[in-house]
Amino acid sequence: MIRRLHFYAGILVAPFLIIATITGGLYAVAPTAERVVYRHLLHTDSDRPARSVAQQVASARGQHPGAAVTAIEPAAAPGETTRVYVTDTSLGESERRTLFVDPVSAAVLGETVTYGSNGALPLRAWLSQLHRTLHLGEPGRLYSELAASWLWVVALGGLALWVDRFRTRRRAGGTSWWRVAAVERSGTKRSRTLSWHGAVGVWLVVGLVFLSATGLTWSRYAGANIAELRTALDWERPTLPTTLPTAHHHESGGSAAISPLALDSRLDDLLVVAREQGLDGRVEVALPTGPDGAVTITQTRQPWRFSVDAIAVDPNTMAVTARLPFSDWSLPAKLTDWAIQLHMGILFGLASALALFALAILLLTVIVRGYLMWWRRGPGTQPGDAPSRSTWRSIAASATPATRIAYAALLAGVLLVGWFVPLLGLPLLVFLALDTMIGRRSTPEPQQESVVVQT
């Protein structure tokens, strides 16, 4: 059954996996590529002392007089530019109009639309949507969810078959266990293809299961179930209180919203507060939208940064009203955050990008060699005999009570996973139904079965 499931899933799901692999490999190197493509926006050759953040923001306001500034990412090191985010009602969800300012001259070097909390520039945003939806909107998300739902099944099923193959060969004295992940260079074309397909798959299986699990968090149906589970178990990322305490706010005389220009003049002081609170590196300063709102300062996600702290500050008094250190996150929330950043190729910078790109290339060769292996079997070959109509009944009849409990637990687990990951469960149900029909058609009559057994 595992062999047939691996075969059919490989044949039918592999085209979706090929698309996801190619687009995922391109997206993995996108953070590195955008630093080259958009160097004119991200870097400056000016090496003189930087002007105040207030002057930089004033320059950006001059480019869009009618727009409100919503957040600022001040340059954190020489050669970097400052990002100023302004309102733009024509943009879609998670998109922001972003101006890039030279911190030395306060000149606006250019502007573009960035996407998401990681501030992806257009190239990376385009590749992200290509990988996620093929630019087909919500219907396109089904392709990526189907690929992510089945990737771990195909990978673990292939691993089980490959290990079983070596166990059989070891019993016959034909090989040793260390060669389970070694590619054989001798034999027929098909045997060499099989060796590459299996051995390289062994090396990739952990990465493939990881990509499948993390990829499902962005999916339409399984992703919604994962979000509900995280909420029920309190595994979500905690939120920072952004509303000023009422008593503290009135005591400070902050009954009216601070004017944008007055707030601009305090941006440098806000950065000083953030540094004093231990928020080093690049940070995003989000401005309040109402009179009772605090300024929030959050460390942005950068390569080799494993924690992101955040604080809320009263812009009237510069008092810190709330803190959210990464150490307060639950362990599952931390692991989820690290896993998502690793999936996106950000956590370890260029090392992450190259590792994911290499994994994509090797997975592509494994899929292609799987098709070659099928093709080289010759016309008219089958993926293995269908289970006979009496197989499951005979297993149940001869099994011990412990084995029956194990079978029942396995069935319950399959049903639970199939419900939790619908684009795995529904195709699996169709496969089992069709395979049962094939088994009924291919199974001989009872009186003929005895002859076959005697033979």
Side-chain angles (χ1 to χ4, degrees), residues 41-328:
L41 297 177
L42 300 175
H43 299 280
T44 174
D45 295 329
S46 303
D47 55 2
R48 297 188 304 277
R51 298 194 182 188
S52 67
V53 178
Q55 289 176 300
Q56 299 176 49
V57 173
S59 180
R61 288 187 185 276
Q63 296 289 323
H64 290 270
V69 174
T70 59
I72 307 100
E73 281 187 37
E80 294 184 357
T81 56
T82 294
R83 296 192 185 195
V84 180
Y85 300 99
V86 300
T87 56
D88 187 341
T89 56
S90 66
L91 299 181
E93 184 180 3
S94 299
E95 293 181 335
R96 296 194 288 182
R97 174 69 56 186
T98 309
L99 286 75
F100 297 83
V101 182
D102 183 340
V104 173
S105 64
V108 177
L109 302 180
E111 64 178 77
T112 188
V113 175
T114 58
Y115 180 83
S117 59
N118 287 300
L121 293 166
L123 173 63
R124 180 154 53 123
W126 189 88
L127 289 174
S128 174
Q129 290 303 317
L130 178 68
H131 178 60
R132 188 179 182 184
T133 69
L134 295 179
H135 293 282
L136 298 176
E138 285 298 317
R141 293 181 67 180
L142 298 180
Y143 114 84
S144 59
E145 183 167 358
L146 181 67
S149 299
W150 279 92
L151 178 57
W152 66 276
V153 176
V154 175
L156 293 180
L159 177 65
L161 294 174
W162 191 246
V163 170
D164 182 70
R165 176 177 181 268
F166 265 78
R167 184 176 60 181
T168 303
R169 292 179 62 181
R170 268 184 58 81
R171 288 175 178 174
T175 188
S176 56
W177 272 116
W178 72 268
R179 296 190 62 82
V180 71
V183 178
E184 298 178 0
R185 300 181 180 275
S186 59
T188 64
K189 285 185 176 180
R190 186 178 183 280
S191 66
R192 294 197 301 270
T193 300
L194 172 62
S195 177
W196 179 280
H197 180 82
V200 176
V202 170
W203 287 102
L204 301 182
V205 66
V206 173
L208 298 182
V209 172
F210 167 79
L211 290 178
S212 175
T214 52
L216 285 174
T217 61
W218 282 288
S219 63
R220 174 67 178 84
Y221 298 104
N225 290 334
I226 292 173
E228 291 181 3
L229 178 63
R230 291 175 61 189
T231 301
L233 298 177
D234 196 21
W235 287 356
E236 291 184 308
R237 173 179 178 174
T239 57
L240 176 71
T242 58
T243 301
L244 295 174
T246 304
H248 175 81
H249 187 52
H250 286 301
E251 288 175 4
S252 66
S255 57
I258 186 172
S259 69
L261 293 180
L263 185 54
D264 287 353
S265 67
R266 302 183 184 185
L267 289 173
D268 294 273
D269 295 332
L270 287 166
L271 282 178
V272 171
V273 173
R275 302 310 181 196
E276 291 174 347
Q277 294 294 317
L279 275 65
D280 57 353
R282 198 171 181 96
V283 298
E284 178 177 321
V285 182
L287 306 184
T289 57
D292 296 326
V295 173
T296 60
I297 307 175
T298 308
Q299 291 176 309
T300 61
R301 308 213 171 274
Q302 301 294 328
W304 300 98
R305 172 176 280 175
F306 303 105
S307 63
V308 285
D309 298 336
I311 60 172
V313 183
D314 186 338
N316 295 283
T317 65
M318 296 297 159
V320 176
T321 60
R323 294 177 179 85
L324 182 57
F326 189 73
S327 58
D328 285 355

Side-chain angles (χ1 to χ4, degrees), residues 336-399:
T336 301
D337 186 77
W338 290 330
I340 290 175
Q341 298 304 313
L342 186 59
H343 184 108
M344 298 173 67
I346 295 174
L347 191 62
F348 300 114
L350 183 60
S352 294
L354 293 179
L356 289 173
F357 187 75
L359 191 149
I361 294 297
L362 290 174
L363 175 58
L364 193 60
T365 66
V366 169
I367 295 173
V368 171
R369 288 177 185 267
Y371 276 113
L372 285 175
M373 192 165 54
W374 172 46
W375 180 264
R376 287 171 178 167
R377 295 180 67 170
T381 55
Q382 301 295 324
D385 295 332
S388 65
R389 293 170 60 183
S390 60
T391 297
W392 306 112
R393 289 195 298 270
S394 62
I395 291 177
S398 61

